[in-house]
Amino acid sequence: MFNLLLMAGVFIASFAIGYALISRVPPLLHTPLMSMTNAISAITILAALILFSVPTTAMEKILGAIAITTATFNVVGGFAITDRMLKLFKGKRRLPE
């Protein structure tokens, strides 16, 4: 029970610290921040895949599947948004007359 409370406390503290830090980042730096969160999501995917390589309980498998799904959604969404932002910086091509 103590471990569960400890993990919940770490989760709540990391959520509060992360929210406080990210809310102070200027909009100009959001793209590098998204790249960093994509890297963190990639680490989450690798950790969940490692979790599946050892014998686990059904609950651990469910949590690993949720971690892989949400991290993959974050990575794919991050790449899609980055691609869309990069297209905004490209100039419009003029058609030959």
Side-chain angles (χ1 to χ4, degrees):
M1 185 68 181
F2 176 74
N3 286 338
L4 183 63
L5 291 175
L6 180 65
M7 288 189 287
V10 169
F11 177 75
I12 291 170
S14 62
F15 178 80
I17 292 170
Y19 181 78
L21 290 175
I22 290 173
S23 65
R24 294 183 180 161
V25 173
L28 184 63
L29 298 177
H30 281 186
T31 301
L33 187 64
M34 284 175 38
S35 299
M36 185 181 72
T37 57
N38 280 346
I40 292 172
S41 294
I43 293 171
T44 303
I45 291 172
L46 288 176
L49 290 176
I50 290 172
L51 178 69
F52 284 125
S53 68
V54 295
T56 56
T57 64
M59 186 64 177
E60 292 169 339
K61 288 179 183 178
I62 291 170
L63 290 175
I66 291 171
I68 288 177
T69 304
T70 55
T72 302
F73 183 76
N74 188 29
V75 169
V76 171
F79 280 120
I81 290 173
T82 301
D83 185 53
R84 186 174 177 189
M85 290 176 64
L86 290 176
K87 286 180 182 174
L88 292 175
F89 290 111
K90 290 182 181 176
K92 292 183 179 179
R93 293 183 183 175
R94 294 184 180 172
L95 296 174
E97 296 179 10

